[in-house]
mmCIF file of all heavy atoms in Angstrom:
data_model
loop_
_atom_site.group_PDB
_atom_site.id
_atom_site.type_symbol
_atom_site.label_atom_id
_atom_site.label_comp_id
_atom_site.label_asym_id
_atom_site.label_seq_id
_atom_site.Cartn_x
_atom_site.Cartn_y
_atom_site.Cartn_z
ATOM 1 N N HIS F 233 -29.163 -12.063 13.781
ATOM 2 C CA HIS F 233 -28.577 -12.984 14.733
ATOM 3 C C HIS F 233 -27.191 -13.382 14.322
ATOM 4 O O HIS F 233 -26.606 -14.262 14.952
ATOM 5 C CB HIS F 233 -29.446 -14.179 14.912
ATOM 6 C CG HIS F 233 -30.773 -13.841 15.522
ATOM 7 N ND1 HIS F 233 -31.850 -13.346 14.803
ATOM 8 C CD2 HIS F 233 -31.223 -13.860 16.826
ATOM 9 C CE1 HIS F 233 -32.848 -13.111 15.610
ATOM 10 N NE2 HIS F 233 -32.495 -13.426 16.872
ATOM 11 N N ASN F 234 -26.637 -12.762 13.304
ATOM 12 C CA ASN F 234 -25.248 -12.967 12.989
ATOM 13 C C ASN F 234 -24.401 -11.796 13.430
ATOM 14 O O ASN F 234 -23.350 -11.974 14.025
ATOM 15 C CB ASN F 234 -25.101 -13.158 11.459
ATOM 16 C CG ASN F 234 -23.611 -13.335 11.113
ATOM 17 O OD1 ASN F 234 -22.887 -14.085 11.715
ATOM 18 N ND2 ASN F 234 -23.196 -12.588 10.088
ATOM 19 N N VAL F 235 -24.906 -10.589 13.188
ATOM 20 C CA VAL F 235 -24.155 -9.394 13.586
ATOM 21 C C VAL F 235 -24.404 -9.064 15.020
ATOM 22 O O VAL F 235 -23.522 -8.493 15.718
ATOM 23 C CB VAL F 235 -24.500 -8.272 12.659
ATOM 24 C CG1 VAL F 235 -23.790 -6.977 13.087
ATOM 25 C CG2 VAL F 235 -24.160 -8.589 11.236
ATOM 26 N N GLY F 236 -25.605 -9.292 15.531
ATOM 27 C CA GLY F 236 -25.917 -9.062 16.887
ATOM 28 C C GLY F 236 -26.332 -7.650 17.158
ATOM 29 O O GLY F 236 -26.551 -7.241 18.311
ATOM 30 N N LEU F 237 -26.410 -6.871 16.106
ATOM 31 C CA LEU F 237 -26.662 -5.439 16.261
ATOM 32 C C LEU F 237 -27.502 -4.956 15.084
ATOM 33 O O LEU F 237 -27.253 -5.326 13.974
ATOM 34 C CB LEU F 237 -25.321 -4.748 16.228
ATOM 35 C CG LEU F 237 -25.297 -3.256 16.587
ATOM 36 C CD1 LEU F 237 -25.336 -3.117 18.077
ATOM 37 C CD2 LEU F 237 -24.080 -2.642 15.986
ATOM 38 N N LEU F 238 -28.466 -4.142 15.382
ATOM 39 C CA LEU F 238 -29.334 -3.620 14.298
ATOM 40 C C LEU F 238 -29.455 -2.113 14.371
ATOM 41 O O LEU F 238 -29.678 -1.596 15.482
ATOM 42 C CB LEU F 238 -30.737 -4.201 14.344
ATOM 43 C CG LEU F 238 -30.905 -5.668 13.946
ATOM 44 C CD1 LEU F 238 -32.410 -6.026 14.127
ATOM 45 C CD2 LEU F 238 -30.545 -5.894 12.512
ATOM 46 N N LYS F 239 -29.255 -1.486 13.263
ATOM 47 C CA LYS F 239 -29.511 -0.036 13.237
ATOM 48 C C LYS F 239 -30.358 0.240 12.061
ATOM 49 O O LYS F 239 -30.190 -0.339 10.956
ATOM 50 C CB LYS F 239 -28.178 0.737 13.147
ATOM 51 C CG LYS F 239 -27.452 0.751 14.466
ATOM 52 C CD LYS F 239 -26.410 1.886 14.532
ATOM 53 C CE LYS F 239 -25.629 1.922 13.212
ATOM 54 N NZ LYS F 239 -24.658 3.064 13.192
ATOM 55 N N PRO F 240 -31.273 1.185 12.150
ATOM 56 C CA PRO F 240 -32.228 1.454 11.050
ATOM 57 C C PRO F 240 -31.480 1.873 9.774
ATOM 58 O O PRO F 240 -31.840 1.479 8.668
ATOM 59 C CB PRO F 240 -33.099 2.598 11.548
ATOM 60 C CG PRO F 240 -32.850 2.773 12.961
ATOM 61 C CD PRO F 240 -31.615 2.029 13.336
ATOM 62 N N GLY F 241 -30.425 2.606 9.962
ATOM 63 C CA GLY F 241 -29.667 3.122 8.784
ATOM 64 C C GLY F 241 -29.111 2.099 7.945
ATOM 65 O O GLY F 241 -28.753 2.315 6.768
ATOM 66 N N THR F 242 -28.908 0.862 8.475
ATOM 67 C CA THR F 242 -28.258 -0.179 7.712
ATOM 68 C C THR F 242 -29.178 -0.587 6.509
ATOM 69 O O THR F 242 -28.681 -1.056 5.497
ATOM 70 C CB THR F 242 -28.124 -1.451 8.625
ATOM 71 O OG1 THR F 242 -27.459 -1.009 9.829
ATOM 72 C CG2 THR F 242 -27.307 -2.531 7.958
ATOM 73 N N PHE F 243 -30.475 -0.375 6.726
ATOM 74 C CA PHE F 243 -31.403 -0.923 5.668
ATOM 75 C C PHE F 243 -31.913 0.181 4.798
ATOM 76 O O PHE F 243 -33.126 0.292 4.587
ATOM 77 C CB PHE F 243 -32.539 -1.668 6.377
ATOM 78 C CG PHE F 243 -32.071 -2.728 7.300
ATOM 79 C CD1 PHE F 243 -31.966 -2.509 8.682
ATOM 80 C CD2 PHE F 243 -31.637 -3.976 6.812
ATOM 81 C CE1 PHE F 243 -31.520 -3.494 9.490
ATOM 82 C CE2 PHE F 243 -31.189 -4.920 7.678
ATOM 83 C CZ PHE F 243 -31.111 -4.676 9.029
ATOM 84 N N ASP F 244 -31.070 1.033 4.302
ATOM 85 C CA ASP F 244 -31.566 2.109 3.441
ATOM 86 C C ASP F 244 -31.559 1.673 1.986
ATOM 87 O O ASP F 244 -31.286 0.503 1.676
ATOM 88 C CB ASP F 244 -30.719 3.349 3.625
ATOM 89 C CG ASP F 244 -29.251 3.115 3.300
ATOM 90 O OD1 ASP F 244 -28.939 1.957 2.992
ATOM 91 O OD2 ASP F 244 -28.482 4.046 3.369
ATOM 92 N N TYR F 245 -31.839 2.558 1.078
ATOM 93 C CA TYR F 245 -31.944 2.165 -0.309
ATOM 94 C C TYR F 245 -30.610 1.667 -0.870
ATOM 95 O O TYR F 245 -30.578 0.888 -1.805
ATOM 96 C CB TYR F 245 -32.478 3.304 -1.159
ATOM 97 C CG TYR F 245 -31.620 4.523 -1.284
ATOM 98 C CD1 TYR F 245 -30.567 4.613 -2.166
ATOM 99 C CD2 TYR F 245 -31.811 5.593 -0.412
ATOM 100 C CE1 TYR F 245 -29.766 5.728 -2.226
ATOM 101 C CE2 TYR F 245 -31.015 6.731 -0.444
ATOM 102 C CZ TYR F 245 -29.969 6.792 -1.345
ATOM 103 O OH TYR F 245 -29.161 7.850 -1.410
#
Side-chain angles (χ1 to χ4, degrees):
Chain F
H233 294 83
N234 177 46
V235 177
L237 186 82
L238 286 179
K239 286 201 312 178
T242 309
F243 306 99
D244 60 357
Y245 64 84

